[in-house]
Amino acid sequence: MEPGEVPGGLGGARLEAFSDNSGKLQLSLQEIIEWLTAKDEELSEQLPIGGDVMAVQQQREFHQAFMEDVKSRGPFIYSVLESAQAFLAQHPFQEPEETLPDGKEVSPRRRMLNVSRSVWKQANVAGDLWEKLTARCVDRHRHMELTLERLLQAQAAMAELAAALEQAEGVRDAWEPVGDLFIDSLQDHIDATKLFKDELSQVKEGMKHINDLAHQLAISDVHLSMDNSRALEHLNNRWKVLQGSIEERLKQLQDAHRDFGPGSQHFLSSSVQIPWERAISPNKVPYYINHQAQTTCWDHPKMTELYQALPDLNNIKFSAYRTAMKLRRVQKALRLDMLTLASVVEVFREQELQQAERVMDVVEVIHALTALYERLEDERGVLVNIPLCVDMCLNWLLNVYDSGRNGKMRVLSFKMGLVSLCNADVQEKYKYLFRQVAGPGGLMDQRHLSLLLHEAIQIPRQLGEVAAFGGSNVEPSVRSCFRASGKPAIELSHFLEWMSLEPQSVVWLPVLHRVAAAESAKHQAKCHICKQCPIKGFRYRSLKQFNVDICQTCFLTGRTTKGKKLHYPIMEYYTPTTSGEKMRDFAKTLKNKFRSKQYFTKHPQRGYLPVQSVLEAESGETPCSSPKLPHADTHSRIEHFASRLAEMENQNCSFFTDSLSPDESLDEDQYLLRHSSPALEQDSPIGQHLLGSINCQDKDELQRTLTRLENENRVLQGEYRRLKWRHEEAAALPQLMDGTPGSPVGQQDEELLAEARVLRQHKTRLETRMQILEDHNKQLESQLQRLRELLLQVDGLWERDGETLCAASKQSRKEKHREAGRGLRLG
């Protein structure tokens, strides 16, 4: 008998019992499968989780009831599955399912195996469905709980944010319009707005949190309800509007503070009157609009009036005094004559203007000038028109150090301008300026001295007087200072000693101090020329004749009485004379009475330290100094004639005696102007001797040089026009964008960029050469004019000498003829 095969009679009963048990078990399993399938479909048909708290709570209650129903069915399902497991344990099956040929009857054993296999399959299906259903129920329940938690958080956060935004909007609505605020309170409002913005950081974080919650819900396939979505969108819009309002408010306040605040230029608008209006260019440089004439200009109207009055001083023959008196007018107009050096230095310290090479913009200059004039008003107790003074001083500084109106100037330039015109002892000014460029060891090298003198020479240069002080090239002055020491750097004492000699490039500064000191001087003496008594200002006393005093107007303008000559040497006084000075001058006058003209010729005196011509062969590190130009032969001839002219002048005139102190000096150009004035040409034997010493050969050579110089001047003018045209052509080229190495620029574009860079470099070189040619042309025209005047004087002298010689020849022939007649009669 095969295993599992039942005997005949007994086997029939067991097979029937087996069939009953298996049938009931299969029915139960099939029922469970159908019920689990129906519940799974019911679970799938449930709506997605809602987007608000109430909907989720309702869905959670419904799902909990569903889970209770599933849970209540659990014991039955577990019992059926256990029965199936027990049945399969009693009736195992191992052979695979076989397919019998048609017509063959299935054996009882095979039927039992087929039933067991069917029970096993149903049990597996029912078990899988049960596990899947219970897992889905648990997952949905957890999802609902998490969603409900997030929705509750979002609901609470939205309510809190709504209250915070309402409060912030109340603060915003209470803001006063910026136009109604006081200027002095602008900074307080700016600080309050910034604080308010910082306080809203919690609102910002809350908005971020609630938007993150909404994003997380969307990722988990939970979409907010319509009401919640609208509420969240409304909050975001309110927050965005509030942020925009804060930023706009802050911008308006900052713009108002910049344009109207204490540190702005708005207060300077009161420096001009109708029809003038003060405007500001993009680089903060002011300019002025005349609405009546519909014109604009860089200069303040008051500054224009000041400049128009300065030509009244051009009748002063001596350039140092002419420059000093012009600067004195500027100094008074800017009220700088009331500022002490200590106040100026203190303002420099407060404004942190320590680095001489640092570049200042216009706003920084205005801040410093405002502090300076406010300190002046506090210290002197006088009423100062601060807007007018600040605007005028700014205008003057820009004219001197930023004539191109770039809106930038160096700290050293700013200091030089204010220190030069402030009220202080000239030695103290020298000391302070030395310290600004000296190195850590208290030593100054040639480069820094060149920089200092370059800044100083810009002041007379702006007045058109730079040619009389050696021109814009300060290298000769630098070499003059370092020649005596023989060291690469000098100390303060050596610098002060050299400055006490009043170098030609800065002689105008000590003369300015003497001009200021002489304004209040009153001398109990009568002018020998205009008879003014008492003499006010400078007093000039002859040390050759007794009781010959001259006032400053007559002396500086070259006035003289008919038939009278000025007798040299002369002493200058800018303070009332003391008894000791009177006795000293009396003794010197008495001594000079016994000195011959040859003595003064052999002992010429200068009251300043001369330097060489501006046409120096060497070039240094001076900013804006001219390099060598290809006209060496012509220039050497000019220098030759100029040096001969100066040599003959020095041989034939001595303006001061050896008693003239360095503080009482004039510059060399004063001698030339003084002795070439028309008032002295009539009866001046010095001038006749000077002109008579030029022989015919020199005259012809001078004439040829003048012709050559005129031709050179025309060539320079043509080259200047050509360079200017090329500069304008280069400036008209479109600006090309600079390409980066990583950008997709073709070979042709790279070539264009390279060509553009070359053109820009060439444009810079052209601008530099144009400036050099312009400066050189001005110097050349000045020398041409001087040589023309000399040539005209030579021609006049030759004409007079020719007439004299002709008359003498005629007289000699007549006398010879008469003598011959007498001889005939006697015979």
Side-chain angles (χ1 to χ4, degrees):
M1 181 179 297
E2 296 181 2
E5 185 176 354
V6 294
L10 189 60
R14 294 184 60 184
L15 182 61
E16 185 177 355
F18 174 81
S19 299
D20 292 340
N21 292 335
S22 63
K24 294 179 180 179
L25 184 59
Q26 285 180 326
L27 288 175
S28 298
L29 288 172
Q30 185 63 32
E31 181 184 356
I32 290 173
I33 291 172
E34 292 176 356
W35 185 84
L36 289 175
T37 303
K39 287 295 182 182
D40 187 71
E41 292 177 357
E42 183 180 351
L43 181 61
S44 300
E45 290 175 357
Q46 288 186 10
L47 295 175
I49 300 177
D52 57 45
V53 175
M54 184 176 296
V56 174
Q57 286 177 344
Q58 291 177 355
Q59 288 178 330
R60 185 181 65 170
E61 293 176 359
F62 178 81
H63 186 66
Q64 284 178 347
F66 179 82
M67 288 182 66
E68 290 294 334
D69 186 19
V70 173
K71 187 177 179 182
S72 65
R73 193 75 170 176
F76 171 72
I77 295 174
Y78 285 123
S79 65
V80 172
L81 291 176
E82 287 176 358
S83 299
Q85 188 175 5
F87 176 82
L88 292 174
Q90 293 177 0
H91 307 284
F93 65 95
Q94 296 178 352
E95 296 85 354
E97 186 175 1
E98 296 180 359
T99 303
L100 297 175
D102 296 338
K104 186 175 181 180
E105 186 178 356
V106 180
S107 65
R109 176 177 172 276
R110 180 62 60 184
R111 286 200 302 270
M112 291 178 63
L113 290 176
N114 290 337
V115 169
S116 297
R117 186 178 292 108
S118 177
V119 170
W120 175 77
K121 288 181 180 180
Q122 287 180 321
N124 285 339
V125 172
D128 292 341
L129 287 175
W130 172 251
E131 290 178 0
K132 180 182 176 181
L133 180 61
T134 54
R136 287 186 63 189
C137 289
V138 172
D139 289 341
R140 184 171 176 82
H141 178 72
R142 290 176 180 173
H143 193 190
M144 285 184 175
E145 293 293 336
L146 181 60
T147 301
L148 184 61
E149 181 182 357
R150 289 175 177 174
L151 287 174
L152 289 173
Q153 291 179 1
Q155 187 175 2
M158 290 171 66
E160 183 178 353
L161 286 173
L165 286 174
E166 184 177 0
Q167 183 179 1
E169 288 168 347
V171 174
R172 179 197 61 188
D173 296 339
W175 285 342
E176 297 182 53
V178 176
D180 296 342
L181 300 177
F182 291 105
I183 293 178
D184 295 339
S185 66
L186 287 175
Q187 186 60 50
D188 295 336
H189 284 279
I190 291 175
D191 296 338
T193 305
K194 289 181 178 180
L195 181 61
F196 177 66
K197 182 179 178 180
D198 294 338
E199 290 175 349
L200 292 179
S201 60
Q202 294 182 353
V203 177
K204 182 178 180 181
E205 293 176 359
M207 290 301 303
K208 183 177 181 300
H209 175 63
I210 192 174
N211 286 318
D212 290 341
L213 287 176
H215 180 66
Q216 292 173 4
L217 289 171
I219 292 176
S220 61
D221 200 22
V222 176
H223 301 284
L224 294 177
S225 64
M226 189 66 68
D227 293 339
N228 284 340
S229 297
R230 289 176 179 174
L232 180 60
E233 184 180 1
H234 184 57
L235 286 176
N236 281 316
N237 290 335
R238 290 172 63 187
W239 170 242
K240 188 175 181 180
V241 170
L242 180 61
Q243 281 184 311
S245 301
I246 294 173
E247 295 298 333
E248 180 65 22
R249 171 77 170 184
L250 195 58
K251 181 179 181 299
Q252 291 178 357
L253 289 171
Q254 290 173 340
D255 290 345
H257 186 266
R258 183 194 65 228
D259 297 336
F260 306 103
S264 69
Q265 300 189 41
H266 174 70
F267 75 104
L268 297 177
S269 59
S270 61
S271 66
V272 294
Q273 304 296 329
I274 297 175
W276 288 93
E277 178 189 355
R278 187 182 190 274
I280 303 174
S281 63
N283 58 358
K284 305 302 180 183
V285 175
Y287 64 96
Y288 304 91
I289 305 173
N290 188 333
H291 292 287
Q292 183 175 354
Q294 295 184 350
T295 57
T296 60
C297 60
W298 289 117
D299 285 329
H300 191 283
K302 295 292 184 182
M303 184 65 72
T304 303
E305 294 177 5
L306 176 62
Y307 285 155
Q308 290 174 350
L310 292 182
D312 297 342
L313 300 173
N314 288 340
N315 60 346
I316 298 176
K317 303 299 181 182
F318 311 132
S319 58
Y321 283 79
R322 182 171 63 249
T323 303
M325 289 191 172
K326 289 180 180 180
L327 286 176
R328 181 60 176 169
R329 287 193 180 181
V330 174
Q331 185 185 35
K332 287 184 174 180
L334 305 183
R335 306 294 291 270
L336 294 178
D337 59 319
M338 302 176 64
L339 284 170
T340 63
L341 182 59
S343 300
V344 174
V345 173
E346 182 63 22
V347 170
F348 290 161
R349 186 190 62 79
E350 292 176 355
Q351 300 294 323
E352 298 180 354
L353 302 177
Q354 307 302 329
Q355 299 178 357
E357 296 294 332
R358 185 171 73 84
V359 177
M360 305 172 62
D361 57 22
V362 173
V363 176
E364 291 178 296
V365 174
I366 291 175
H367 288 173
L369 292 177
T370 303
L372 199 62
Y373 285 107
E374 287 176 350
R375 179 180 289 270
L376 170 63
E377 195 173 44
D378 295 339
E379 291 180 352
R380 291 295 186 96
V382 295
L383 185 62
V384 178
N385 189 344
I386 293 179
L388 178 61
C389 290
V390 171
D391 220 12
M392 289 276 286
C393 192
L394 173 65
N395 195 167
W396 178 73
L397 288 170
L398 291 175
N399 287 344
V400 175
Y401 295 109
D402 185 25
S403 57
R405 292 306 195 269
N406 297 315
K408 304 288 183 182
M409 82 174 58
R410 287 186 294 188
V411 171
L412 182 60
S413 304
F414 181 68
K415 290 184 176 181
M416 175 61 73
L418 294 182
V419 171
S420 298
L421 297 191
C422 74
N423 183 11
D425 181 71
V426 68
Q427 292 291 323
E428 295 300 322
K429 293 183 179 181
Y430 293 158
K431 292 177 183 178
Y432 178 77
L433 293 174
F434 178 89
R435 289 193 294 268
Q436 300 312 299
V437 295
L443 299 176
M444 179 169 61
D445 56 15
Q446 293 190 23
R447 176 182 174 275
H448 287 93
L449 177 60
S450 176
L451 183 63
L452 185 66
L453 295 179
H454 174 264
E455 299 295 344
I457 204 66
Q458 301 308 310
I459 297 177
R461 184 175 184 271
Q462 192 267 331
L463 295 174
E465 301 284 354
V466 69
F469 305 104
S472 58
N473 184 10
V474 298
E475 292 306 314
S477 298
V478 175
R479 290 196 294 273
S480 170
C481 178
F482 281 83
R483 186 179 297 117
S485 66
K487 298 179 180 178
I490 59 174
E491 298 178 349
L492 175 61
S493 58
H494 182 85
F495 177 72
L496 293 178
E497 181 181 357
W498 180 69
M499 292 295 286
S500 66
L501 300 176
E502 298 187 4
Q504 184 176 350
S505 54
V506 290
V507 66
W508 52 269
L509 183 54
V511 173
L512 173 62
H513 284 73
R514 294 200 293 274
V515 168
E519 286 180 346
S520 59
K522 185 180 293 186
H523 309 274
Q524 296 301 322
K526 183 170 67 175
C527 178
H528 185 68
I529 298 174
C530 67
K531 310 305 179 184
Q532 176 188 355
C533 184
I535 294 177
K536 297 179 181 180
F538 286 108
R539 171 191 178 188
Y540 296 91
R541 170 184 288 176
S542 173
L543 296 183
K544 183 68 175 177
Q545 284 189 337
F546 293 107
N547 297 326
V548 176
D549 295 288
I550 308 172
C551 67
Q552 72 174 25
T553 302
C554 295
F555 183 79
L556 296 179
T557 58
R559 290 177 57 189
T560 183
T561 56
K562 187 176 181 181
K564 301 291 183 180
K565 296 182 294 185
L566 296 180
H567 294 271
Y568 306 103
I570 292 177
M571 175 66 75
E572 175 191 84
Y573 290 100
Y574 55 90
T575 57
T577 56
T578 62
S579 57
E581 290 173 333
K582 292 179 181 178
M583 289 300 297
R584 182 196 64 184
D585 292 347
F586 176 79
K588 288 188 176 295
T589 304
L590 188 62
K591 186 188 299 183
N592 292 332
K593 278 287 187 179
F594 297 98
R595 287 175 175 171
S596 63
K597 182 179 180 180
Q598 288 75 16
Y599 173 83
F600 297 108
T601 303
K602 294 179 180 179
H603 299 84
Q605 295 293 326
R606 280 195 181 99
Y608 75 108
L609 181 63
V611 297
Q612 299 177 20
S613 171
V614 295
L615 298 172
E616 283 287 321
E618 300 179 11
S619 61
E621 300 179 6
T622 308
C624 301
S625 61
S626 301
K628 298 179 182 179
L629 294 174
H631 311 290
D633 294 338
T634 305
H635 291 171
S636 62
R637 289 182 175 276
I638 296 174
E639 286 190 277
H640 168 69
F641 286 113
S643 60
R644 285 202 60 187
L645 184 61
E647 181 181 355
M648 287 184 288
E649 289 168 346
N650 291 334
Q651 289 176 354
N652 291 280
C653 62
S654 174
F655 205 72
F656 294 105
T657 64
D658 52 358
S659 64
L660 186 60
S661 66
D663 287 338
E664 300 163 338
S665 66
L666 303 173
D667 65 354
E668 184 180 42
D669 191 52
Q670 296 163 7
Y671 303 124
L672 303 180
L673 291 173
R674 183 65 189 86
H675 290 289
S676 64
S677 61
L680 298 179
E681 284 182 0
Q682 299 176 358
D683 52 0
S684 174
I686 299 174
Q688 295 177 5
H689 179 74
L690 169 64
L691 299 175
S693 63
I694 302 178
N695 54 31
C696 181
Q697 182 179 359
D698 289 339
K699 176 179 178 296
D700 294 339
E701 188 174 2
L702 187 61
Q703 181 64 50
R704 289 194 299 271
T705 302
L706 276 175
T707 305
R708 188 181 302 108
L709 287 174
E710 289 172 350
N711 293 333
E712 181 185 349
N713 191 18
R714 286 192 291 271
V715 172
L716 286 175
Q717 291 285 358
E719 185 175 2
Y720 175 75
R721 288 191 295 270
R722 180 177 60 83
L723 289 174
K724 185 176 181 182
W725 176 80
R726 293 181 64 181
H727 166 63
E728 293 175 351
E729 185 182 37
L733 289 175
Q735 296 292 330
L736 296 177
M737 296 179 59
D738 294 335
T740 58
S743 61
V745 180
Q747 182 66 26
Q748 185 177 3
D749 294 338
E750 292 180 358
E751 293 177 359
L752 288 175
L753 290 174
E755 184 178 357
R757 284 192 291 271
V758 172
L759 286 176
R760 283 195 292 268
Q761 295 174 0
H762 185 57
K763 174 186 172 184
T764 304
R765 289 195 297 269
L766 287 178
E767 290 176 348
T768 305
R769 180 163 177 77
M770 284 171 60
Q771 185 63 38
I772 292 172
L773 286 175
E774 190 172 356
D775 294 340
H776 176 67
N777 196 32
K778 290 179 181 178
Q779 297 173 4
L780 191 59
E781 288 178 351
S782 175
Q783 293 167 352
L784 276 171
Q785 182 63 28
R786 184 174 173 186
L787 291 175
R788 285 195 190 99
E789 293 177 357
L790 180 60
L791 188 59
L792 290 175
Q793 294 172 8
V794 171
D795 291 338
L797 178 61
W798 274 68
E799 290 177 1
R800 289 196 299 271
D801 289 346
E803 293 175 357
T804 304
L805 289 173
C806 184
S809 177
K810 290 180 180 179
Q811 184 67 25
S812 176
R813 286 197 299 270
K814 288 180 180 181
E815 290 178 357
K816 288 181 180 180
H817 185 69
R818 283 196 295 270
E819 290 178 359
R822 282 197 300 270
L824 289 173
R825 285 194 297 270
L826 289 173

